[in-house]
Each structure stands twice: as structure tokens, then as C-alpha cells.
Amino acid sequence: SCYVTNIGPTFSQFQHQPVVSLANQPVTVFVHAQDPQGVNACAIWWSVNGGAWSSVPMTPTNGVYAGTIPHQPTSSLVQFYVRAVDSLGAVSTYPANGSNSGAFYRVNDGLADLSKAHNLRILMSPANVSLQYATTNLMSNENLPCTVIYDERQVYYDMAIRLKSSERGRVDSTRIGFHLQIGRASCRER
């Protein structure tokens, strides 16, 4: 640990609703932000399918900030994070790595089959998916940020994932396996 004069706002209760949006349905992001010096501003930042980042201010109600990401087309992958500034100018983000973190949602793509035992969505940036399957990186044990959505209602943000299987198994979709790191994740159920 180390001493820091001002770390900026801290966050809790981070979530988005609806968990899996319908096509052209906006998504609202909520977070509880607080700071001893007061929270001066809070905004939601998002990127669609690995594109440019956009933002809108979030509105506070009793310390809970809400901001809405505009509707997106079917199957769009949206990465998002919250950025807040305290009254002394200290900036912080949640998840902590901001644009490099693992908070995602996908606009309903019709692929979930809830008639089976369970459904698991693993969402990660297009750049990290490419990195994970690159020939030069195929055997890497580096964990990459992702979001896991369980049965279309439980969300685990900023988890970590890597490929796990033999060298040949990592390129064969019928044999591929994953290692999920749960320790740093936060969960919300809706």
C-alpha cells in the first residue's frame, strides 16, 4: 500500500439495466459515487463494437448517479465505464482501468437459449478477442478483461479470462476451454 493525497471519487453498486437490451432500447448505467471533497461531475463513457468513445453526464439522486447509453442495433457490443471528478480535480474511473476494463453488454442477438439448463455470455473487446486467438499469443496465460452474464440476469463485471487447453485445442472450437478469474469481479443481479 502507499499514501495518496487524493484518489478521487470511490464507487459501489455499479450496474446497467436492462442486462440484455433489445434492439434500439437505451441502457441506463447506475453507480454510487462518493468523495470526502464531494463529487463535482460524473459521466458514463461507452464504445460500440470497439469504435470511438462517447460520453454523457450522469445525474445524481442521493449519491446514486444514472446515465443513459443511447439505443444500439441488434448484436452490438457496448463497452462502458464511469469517470468522476471530485471538487479538487482528482479523477477516478470504475472499473478502475477505464477504457481498458471489462464492463460490457451485448444488445440481444437472439443466441441465448434459456430452455437449456443455463446460458453463459462471455463478452470482451474485439481487440482482445483478436489478441487472444492471434497465433503469436495463442499459448499466453495473460488474463484479459471481460464481463460474464449468467442466464441473462446476473452480471459479473471486470472479470478476467484466458484460453485453457492444449496447443491444438486452443484453435479447435469443439475442444477449446477457458479459465475465468472471478476474484476481482463485481456482480449485479436483475
Short mmCIF file of all heavy atoms in Angstrom, two decimals, residues 35-93:
data_model
loop_
_atom_site.label_atom_id
_atom_site.label_comp_id
_atom_site.label_asym_id
_atom_site.label_seq_id
_atom_site.Cartn_x
_atom_site.Cartn_y
_atom_site.Cartn_z
N ASP A 35 -17.12 11.01 -2.32
CA ASP A 35 -15.79 11.54 -2.11
C ASP A 35 -15.85 12.51 -0.93
O ASP A 35 -16.82 13.28 -0.83
CB ASP A 35 -15.31 12.27 -3.37
CG ASP A 35 -13.85 12.65 -3.31
OD1 ASP A 35 -13.52 13.69 -2.71
OD2 ASP A 35 -13.03 11.89 -3.87
N PRO A 36 -14.84 12.51 -0.05
CA PRO A 36 -14.84 13.45 1.08
C PRO A 36 -14.90 14.91 0.63
O PRO A 36 -15.45 15.76 1.33
CB PRO A 36 -13.52 13.16 1.81
CG PRO A 36 -13.15 11.79 1.41
CD PRO A 36 -13.70 11.59 0.02
N GLN A 37 -14.34 15.22 -0.55
CA GLN A 37 -14.38 16.58 -1.07
C GLN A 37 -15.62 16.84 -1.93
O GLN A 37 -15.79 17.92 -2.48
CB GLN A 37 -13.13 16.87 -1.93
CG GLN A 37 -11.85 17.04 -1.14
CD GLN A 37 -11.26 15.72 -0.70
OE1 GLN A 37 -11.32 14.71 -1.41
NE2 GLN A 37 -10.70 15.69 0.50
N GLY A 38 -16.46 15.85 -2.07
CA GLY A 38 -17.66 15.96 -2.89
C GLY A 38 -17.39 15.57 -4.33
O GLY A 38 -16.28 15.73 -4.83
N VAL A 39 -18.40 15.03 -4.99
CA VAL A 39 -18.28 14.65 -6.40
C VAL A 39 -18.74 15.83 -7.23
O VAL A 39 -19.88 16.28 -7.13
CB VAL A 39 -19.13 13.39 -6.71
CG1 VAL A 39 -19.06 13.05 -8.19
CG2 VAL A 39 -18.67 12.22 -5.86
N ASN A 40 -17.82 16.35 -8.03
CA ASN A 40 -18.10 17.52 -8.85
C ASN A 40 -18.81 17.16 -10.15
O ASN A 40 -19.67 17.90 -10.62
CB ASN A 40 -16.79 18.27 -9.14
CG ASN A 40 -17.01 19.68 -9.61
OD1 ASN A 40 -17.93 20.34 -9.16
ND2 ASN A 40 -16.19 20.14 -10.54
N ALA A 41 -18.43 16.03 -10.75
CA ALA A 41 -19.05 15.59 -12.00
C ALA A 41 -18.86 14.09 -12.16
O ALA A 41 -17.89 13.52 -11.67
CB ALA A 41 -18.41 16.31 -13.19
N CYS A 42 -19.81 13.48 -12.84
CA CYS A 42 -19.74 12.04 -13.11
C CYS A 42 -20.32 11.82 -14.51
O CYS A 42 -21.33 12.42 -14.86
CB CYS A 42 -20.55 11.28 -12.06
SG CYS A 42 -20.29 9.50 -12.05
N ALA A 43 -19.64 10.99 -15.30
CA ALA A 43 -20.09 10.74 -16.67
C ALA A 43 -19.95 9.26 -17.00
O ALA A 43 -19.09 8.57 -16.46
CB ALA A 43 -19.28 11.57 -17.67
N ILE A 44 -20.80 8.80 -17.91
CA ILE A 44 -20.68 7.45 -18.44
C ILE A 44 -20.02 7.54 -19.81
O ILE A 44 -20.38 8.39 -20.62
CB ILE A 44 -22.07 6.73 -18.52
CG1 ILE A 44 -21.93 5.31 -19.05
CG2 ILE A 44 -23.05 7.50 -19.37
CD1 ILE A 44 -21.30 4.37 -18.10
N TRP A 45 -19.02 6.70 -20.02
CA TRP A 45 -18.30 6.63 -21.30
C TRP A 45 -18.60 5.27 -21.92
O TRP A 45 -18.66 4.27 -21.22
CB TRP A 45 -16.80 6.76 -21.07
CG TRP A 45 -16.39 8.16 -20.73
CD1 TRP A 45 -16.51 8.78 -19.52
CD2 TRP A 45 -15.83 9.12 -21.62
NE1 TRP A 45 -16.04 10.06 -19.59
CE2 TRP A 45 -15.61 10.29 -20.88
CE3 TRP A 45 -15.47 9.08 -22.96
CZ2 TRP A 45 -15.06 11.43 -21.44
CZ3 TRP A 45 -14.91 10.22 -23.52
CH2 TRP A 45 -14.72 11.37 -22.77
N TRP A 46 -18.78 5.22 -23.26
CA TRP A 46 -19.05 3.96 -23.93
C TRP A 46 -18.45 3.94 -25.34
O TRP A 46 -18.22 4.97 -25.94
CB TRP A 46 -20.54 3.66 -23.97
CG TRP A 46 -21.30 4.50 -24.95
CD1 TRP A 46 -21.56 4.21 -26.26
CD2 TRP A 46 -21.88 5.78 -24.70
NE1 TRP A 46 -22.28 5.23 -26.84
CE2 TRP A 46 -22.48 6.21 -25.90
CE3 TRP A 46 -21.97 6.60 -23.58
CZ2 TRP A 46 -23.14 7.42 -26.02
CZ3 TRP A 46 -22.62 7.81 -23.69
CH2 TRP A 46 -23.20 8.21 -24.89
N SER A 47 -18.23 2.71 -25.80
CA SER A 47 -17.72 2.45 -27.14
C SER A 47 -18.54 1.30 -27.71
O SER A 47 -18.78 0.31 -27.02
CB SER A 47 -16.24 2.07 -27.07
OG SER A 47 -15.79 1.55 -28.30
N VAL A 48 -18.94 1.41 -28.97
CA VAL A 48 -19.75 0.38 -29.61
C VAL A 48 -18.88 -0.39 -30.60
O VAL A 48 -18.27 0.21 -31.49
CB VAL A 48 -20.97 0.99 -30.33
CG1 VAL A 48 -21.80 -0.09 -31.00
CG2 VAL A 48 -21.82 1.80 -29.35
N ASN A 49 -18.81 -1.70 -30.42
CA ASN A 49 -18.06 -2.60 -31.31
C ASN A 49 -16.61 -2.17 -31.49
O ASN A 49 -16.05 -2.28 -32.58
CB ASN A 49 -18.76 -2.72 -32.67
CG ASN A 49 -20.14 -3.32 -32.55
OD1 ASN A 49 -20.37 -4.21 -31.75
ND2 ASN A 49 -21.07 -2.83 -33.33
N GLY A 50 -15.99 -1.65 -30.42
CA GLY A 50 -14.58 -1.26 -30.47
C GLY A 50 -14.33 0.07 -31.15
O GLY A 50 -13.18 0.41 -31.44
N GLY A 51 -15.38 0.85 -31.39
CA GLY A 51 -15.25 2.15 -32.07
C GLY A 51 -14.86 3.28 -31.14
O GLY A 51 -14.38 3.06 -30.02
N ALA A 52 -15.08 4.50 -31.59
CA ALA A 52 -14.73 5.70 -30.83
C ALA A 52 -15.55 5.78 -29.54
O ALA A 52 -16.66 5.27 -29.45
CB ALA A 52 -14.98 6.94 -31.68
N TRP A 53 -14.97 6.45 -28.54
CA TRP A 53 -15.63 6.61 -27.24
C TRP A 53 -16.53 7.85 -27.25
O TRP A 53 -16.17 8.88 -27.82
CB TRP A 53 -14.60 6.73 -26.13
CG TRP A 53 -13.94 5.42 -25.86
CD1 TRP A 53 -12.81 4.92 -26.45
CD2 TRP A 53 -14.38 4.42 -24.95
NE1 TRP A 53 -12.52 3.66 -25.97
CE2 TRP A 53 -13.47 3.33 -25.04
CE3 TRP A 53 -15.45 4.31 -24.07
CZ2 TRP A 53 -13.61 2.18 -24.29
CZ3 TRP A 53 -15.59 3.17 -23.32
CH2 TRP A 53 -14.69 2.11 -23.43
N SER A 54 -17.69 7.72 -26.61
CA SER A 54 -18.64 8.81 -26.42
C SER A 54 -18.95 8.91 -24.94
O SER A 54 -18.72 7.96 -24.18
CB SER A 54 -19.95 8.54 -27.18
OG SER A 54 -19.69 8.38 -28.55
N SER A 55 -19.53 10.04 -24.52
CA SER A 55 -19.90 10.19 -23.11
C SER A 55 -21.11 11.09 -22.95
O SER A 55 -21.41 11.90 -23.82
CB SER A 55 -18.72 10.75 -22.30
OG SER A 55 -18.49 12.10 -22.63
N VAL A 56 -21.78 10.92 -21.82
CA VAL A 56 -22.85 11.82 -21.39
C VAL A 56 -22.73 11.98 -19.88
O VAL A 56 -22.29 11.07 -19.19
CB VAL A 56 -24.27 11.31 -21.74
CG1 VAL A 56 -24.48 11.27 -23.24
CG2 VAL A 56 -24.56 9.98 -21.11
N PRO A 57 -23.12 13.16 -19.36
CA PRO A 57 -23.11 13.35 -17.91
C PRO A 57 -24.13 12.43 -17.24
O PRO A 57 -25.16 12.08 -17.82
CB PRO A 57 -23.52 14.81 -17.73
CG PRO A 57 -23.43 15.44 -19.07
CD PRO A 57 -23.55 14.34 -20.09
N MET A 58 -23.82 12.05 -16.01
CA MET A 58 -24.74 11.25 -15.20
C MET A 58 -25.41 12.18 -14.20
O MET A 58 -24.82 13.14 -13.72
CB MET A 58 -23.99 10.13 -14.49
CG MET A 58 -23.32 9.15 -15.46
SD MET A 58 -22.40 7.84 -14.64
CE MET A 58 -23.72 6.69 -14.24
N THR A 59 -26.66 11.88 -13.89
CA THR A 59 -27.45 12.70 -12.98
C THR A 59 -27.48 12.06 -11.59
O THR A 59 -27.79 10.87 -11.48
CB THR A 59 -28.89 12.82 -13.52
OG1 THR A 59 -28.83 13.31 -14.86
CG2 THR A 59 -29.72 13.75 -12.66
N PRO A 60 -27.19 12.86 -10.52
CA PRO A 60 -27.19 12.28 -9.17
C PRO A 60 -28.56 12.33 -8.50
O PRO A 60 -29.31 13.28 -8.68
CB PRO A 60 -26.21 13.18 -8.42
CG PRO A 60 -26.34 14.51 -9.08
CD PRO A 60 -26.66 14.22 -10.53
N THR A 61 -28.87 11.28 -7.75
CA THR A 61 -30.03 11.24 -6.87
C THR A 61 -29.59 10.52 -5.61
O THR A 61 -29.35 9.31 -5.64
CB THR A 61 -31.22 10.50 -7.52
OG1 THR A 61 -31.52 11.11 -8.77
CG2 THR A 61 -32.44 10.52 -6.62
N ASN A 62 -29.43 11.24 -4.50
CA ASN A 62 -28.98 10.67 -3.22
C ASN A 62 -27.68 9.89 -3.35
O ASN A 62 -27.53 8.80 -2.80
CB ASN A 62 -30.06 9.79 -2.61
CG ASN A 62 -31.33 10.57 -2.31
OD1 ASN A 62 -31.26 11.72 -1.89
ND2 ASN A 62 -32.47 9.96 -2.53
N GLY A 63 -26.72 10.40 -4.11
CA GLY A 63 -25.42 9.76 -4.25
C GLY A 63 -25.35 8.70 -5.33
O GLY A 63 -24.27 8.23 -5.66
N VAL A 64 -26.50 8.31 -5.89
CA VAL A 64 -26.51 7.34 -6.98
C VAL A 64 -26.62 8.12 -8.29
O VAL A 64 -27.55 8.89 -8.49
CB VAL A 64 -27.68 6.33 -6.85
CG1 VAL A 64 -27.72 5.40 -8.05
CG2 VAL A 64 -27.55 5.53 -5.57
N TYR A 65 -25.65 7.88 -9.16
CA TYR A 65 -25.61 8.56 -10.44
C TYR A 65 -26.17 7.65 -11.51
O TYR A 65 -25.93 6.45 -11.50
CB TYR A 65 -24.17 8.96 -10.79
CG TYR A 65 -23.66 10.11 -9.97
CD1 TYR A 65 -23.26 9.91 -8.65
CD2 TYR A 65 -23.62 11.40 -10.49
CE1 TYR A 65 -22.81 10.95 -7.87
CE2 TYR A 65 -23.17 12.45 -9.72
CZ TYR A 65 -22.77 12.23 -8.41
OH TYR A 65 -22.33 13.28 -7.64
N ALA A 66 -26.94 8.24 -12.44
CA ALA A 66 -27.52 7.47 -13.54
C ALA A 66 -27.25 8.19 -14.85
O ALA A 66 -27.35 9.42 -14.92
CB ALA A 66 -29.03 7.32 -13.34
N GLY A 67 -26.88 7.42 -15.85
CA GLY A 67 -26.66 7.95 -17.19
C GLY A 67 -27.13 6.94 -18.21
O GLY A 67 -27.05 5.73 -17.98
N THR A 68 -27.61 7.43 -19.34
CA THR A 68 -28.21 6.54 -20.33
C THR A 68 -27.36 6.48 -21.60
O THR A 68 -27.00 7.51 -22.16
CB THR A 68 -29.63 7.00 -20.67
OG1 THR A 68 -30.40 6.98 -19.46
CG2 THR A 68 -30.29 6.07 -21.68
N ILE A 69 -27.06 5.25 -21.99
CA ILE A 69 -26.38 5.00 -23.26
C ILE A 69 -27.47 4.86 -24.32
O ILE A 69 -28.41 4.08 -24.14
CB ILE A 69 -25.53 3.71 -23.18
CG1 ILE A 69 -24.44 3.87 -22.12
CG2 ILE A 69 -24.94 3.37 -24.54
CD1 ILE A 69 -23.65 2.61 -21.82
N PRO A 70 -27.39 5.63 -25.40
CA PRO A 70 -28.44 5.56 -26.43
C PRO A 70 -28.60 4.15 -27.00
O PRO A 70 -27.70 3.32 -26.93
CB PRO A 70 -27.94 6.52 -27.51
CG PRO A 70 -26.91 7.36 -26.87
CD PRO A 70 -26.32 6.55 -25.75
N HIS A 71 -29.77 3.91 -27.59
CA HIS A 71 -30.06 2.61 -28.20
C HIS A 71 -29.05 2.27 -29.27
O HIS A 71 -28.47 3.14 -29.92
CB HIS A 71 -31.48 2.59 -28.76
CG HIS A 71 -31.74 3.65 -29.79
ND1 HIS A 71 -31.30 3.55 -31.08
CD2 HIS A 71 -32.39 4.83 -29.70
CE1 HIS A 71 -31.68 4.62 -31.76
NE2 HIS A 71 -32.33 5.42 -30.94
N GLN A 72 -28.83 0.97 -29.43
CA GLN A 72 -27.87 0.45 -30.40
C GLN A 72 -28.54 -0.66 -31.20
O GLN A 72 -29.49 -1.29 -30.74
CB GLN A 72 -26.62 -0.10 -29.70
CG GLN A 72 -25.92 0.90 -28.80
CD GLN A 72 -25.39 2.11 -29.54
OE1 GLN A 72 -24.98 2.01 -30.69
NE2 GLN A 72 -25.38 3.26 -28.88
N PRO A 73 -28.03 -0.96 -32.39
CA PRO A 73 -28.62 -2.03 -33.21
C PRO A 73 -28.41 -3.43 -32.60
O PRO A 73 -27.54 -3.63 -31.76
CB PRO A 73 -27.88 -1.93 -34.54
CG PRO A 73 -27.18 -0.61 -34.53
CD PRO A 73 -26.99 -0.23 -33.10
N THR A 74 -29.17 -4.39 -33.08
CA THR A 74 -29.06 -5.78 -32.67
C THR A 74 -27.62 -6.26 -32.74
O THR A 74 -26.90 -5.93 -33.67
CB THR A 74 -29.94 -6.67 -33.58
OG1 THR A 74 -31.29 -6.24 -33.44
CG2 THR A 74 -29.84 -8.13 -33.21
N SER A 75 -27.22 -7.04 -31.74
CA SER A 75 -25.90 -7.68 -31.63
C SER A 75 -24.74 -6.72 -31.34
O SER A 75 -23.60 -7.17 -31.26
CB SER A 75 -25.56 -8.49 -32.89
OG SER A 75 -26.51 -9.51 -33.07
N SER A 76 -25.00 -5.43 -31.16
CA SER A 76 -23.91 -4.50 -30.85
C SER A 76 -23.28 -4.86 -29.52
O SER A 76 -23.97 -5.21 -28.56
CB SER A 76 -24.43 -3.06 -30.77
OG SER A 76 -24.90 -2.63 -32.02
N LEU A 77 -21.94 -4.77 -29.46
CA LEU A 77 -21.20 -4.96 -28.22
C LEU A 77 -20.82 -3.60 -27.69
O LEU A 77 -20.14 -2.83 -28.38
CB LEU A 77 -19.94 -5.80 -28.47
CG LEU A 77 -19.05 -6.01 -27.24
CD1 LEU A 77 -19.74 -6.92 -26.22
CD2 LEU A 77 -17.71 -6.59 -27.66
N VAL A 78 -21.25 -3.29 -26.48
CA VAL A 78 -21.00 -1.99 -25.87
C VAL A 78 -20.09 -2.16 -24.67
O VAL A 78 -20.40 -2.92 -23.75
CB VAL A 78 -22.33 -1.31 -25.45
CG1 VAL A 78 -22.05 0.06 -24.83
CG2 VAL A 78 -23.26 -1.17 -26.66
N GLN A 79 -18.97 -1.46 -24.69
CA GLN A 79 -18.05 -1.41 -23.54
C GLN A 79 -18.30 -0.07 -22.86
O GLN A 79 -18.48 0.95 -23.53
CB GLN A 79 -16.61 -1.51 -24.01
CG GLN A 79 -15.60 -1.53 -22.87
CD GLN A 79 -14.16 -1.67 -23.36
OE1 GLN A 79 -13.89 -1.58 -24.55
NE2 GLN A 79 -13.26 -1.90 -22.43
N PHE A 80 -18.29 -0.06 -21.52
CA PHE A 80 -18.59 1.19 -20.82
C PHE A 80 -17.85 1.27 -19.49
O PHE A 80 -17.40 0.27 -18.94
CB PHE A 80 -20.10 1.33 -20.61
CG PHE A 80 -20.73 0.25 -19.78
CD1 PHE A 80 -21.00 0.44 -18.43
CD2 PHE A 80 -21.07 -0.98 -20.34
CE1 PHE A 80 -21.58 -0.56 -17.66
CE2 PHE A 80 -21.64 -1.99 -19.59
CZ PHE A 80 -21.91 -1.77 -18.24
N TYR A 81 -17.71 2.50 -19.00
CA TYR A 81 -17.13 2.76 -17.69
C TYR A 81 -17.62 4.12 -17.20
O TYR A 81 -18.16 4.91 -17.98
CB TYR A 81 -15.60 2.68 -17.71
CG TYR A 81 -14.90 3.78 -18.47
CD1 TYR A 81 -14.44 4.92 -17.81
CD2 TYR A 81 -14.69 3.67 -19.84
CE1 TYR A 81 -13.78 5.93 -18.52
CE2 TYR A 81 -14.03 4.65 -20.53
CZ TYR A 81 -13.58 5.79 -19.87
OH TYR A 81 -12.94 6.78 -20.57
N VAL A 82 -17.41 4.38 -15.92
CA VAL A 82 -17.81 5.64 -15.30
C VAL A 82 -16.55 6.42 -14.96
O VAL A 82 -15.56 5.85 -14.49
CB VAL A 82 -18.65 5.37 -14.03
CG1 VAL A 82 -18.91 6.65 -13.26
CG2 VAL A 82 -19.96 4.70 -14.40
N ARG A 83 -16.59 7.72 -15.18
CA ARG A 83 -15.48 8.61 -14.84
C ARG A 83 -16.05 9.73 -13.97
O ARG A 83 -17.03 10.38 -14.35
CB ARG A 83 -14.87 9.19 -16.11
CG ARG A 83 -13.68 10.11 -15.87
CD ARG A 83 -13.20 10.68 -17.22
NE ARG A 83 -12.03 11.50 -17.08
CZ ARG A 83 -12.04 12.80 -16.79
NH1 ARG A 83 -13.19 13.42 -16.59
NH2 ARG A 83 -10.91 13.48 -16.70
N ALA A 84 -15.43 9.96 -12.81
CA ALA A 84 -15.90 11.01 -11.89
C ALA A 84 -14.74 11.90 -11.47
O ALA A 84 -13.58 11.47 -11.42
CB ALA A 84 -16.56 10.38 -10.66
N VAL A 85 -15.08 13.13 -11.11
CA VAL A 85 -14.10 14.13 -10.69
C VAL A 85 -14.58 14.71 -9.37
O VAL A 85 -15.76 15.05 -9.22
CB VAL A 85 -13.99 15.27 -11.73
CG1 VAL A 85 -12.95 16.29 -11.31
CG2 VAL A 85 -13.69 14.71 -13.10
N ASP A 86 -13.66 14.84 -8.39
CA ASP A 86 -14.05 15.47 -7.13
C ASP A 86 -13.86 16.98 -7.22
O ASP A 86 -13.38 17.50 -8.23
CB ASP A 86 -13.33 14.85 -5.93
CG ASP A 86 -11.86 15.18 -5.83
OD1 ASP A 86 -11.38 16.09 -6.54
OD2 ASP A 86 -11.18 14.52 -5.02
N SER A 87 -14.23 17.71 -6.18
CA SER A 87 -14.18 19.18 -6.21
C SER A 87 -12.77 19.74 -6.24
O SER A 87 -12.57 20.92 -6.53
CB SER A 87 -14.95 19.77 -5.03
OG SER A 87 -14.34 19.37 -3.81
N LEU A 88 -11.75 18.89 -5.98
CA LEU A 88 -10.35 19.33 -6.07
C LEU A 88 -9.72 18.95 -7.41
O LEU A 88 -8.53 19.19 -7.65
CB LEU A 88 -9.53 18.74 -4.93
CG LEU A 88 -9.96 19.15 -3.51
CD1 LEU A 88 -9.11 18.46 -2.46
CD2 LEU A 88 -9.90 20.66 -3.34
N GLY A 89 -10.48 18.30 -8.28
CA GLY A 89 -10.00 17.95 -9.61
C GLY A 89 -9.43 16.55 -9.75
O GLY A 89 -8.96 16.19 -10.83
N ALA A 90 -9.45 15.74 -8.69
CA ALA A 90 -8.95 14.36 -8.78
C ALA A 90 -9.95 13.51 -9.57
O ALA A 90 -11.16 13.55 -9.32
CB ALA A 90 -8.71 13.77 -7.41
N VAL A 91 -9.43 12.73 -10.52
CA VAL A 91 -10.26 11.92 -11.40
C VAL A 91 -10.09 10.44 -11.07
O VAL A 91 -8.99 9.97 -10.79
CB VAL A 91 -9.84 12.15 -12.88
CG1 VAL A 91 -10.63 11.24 -13.82
CG2 VAL A 91 -10.01 13.60 -13.26
N SER A 92 -11.19 9.69 -11.11
CA SER A 92 -11.12 8.23 -10.97
C SER A 92 -12.15 7.61 -11.90
O SER A 92 -13.09 8.27 -12.35
CB SER A 92 -11.36 7.81 -9.51
OG SER A 92 -12.61 8.27 -9.07
N THR A 93 -11.93 6.33 -12.20
CA THR A 93 -12.85 5.62 -13.09
C THR A 93 -13.27 4.30 -12.44
O THR A 93 -12.59 3.77 -11.56
CB THR A 93 -12.19 5.30 -14.45
OG1 THR A 93 -11.03 4.50 -14.23
CG2 THR A 93 -11.82 6.56 -15.19
#
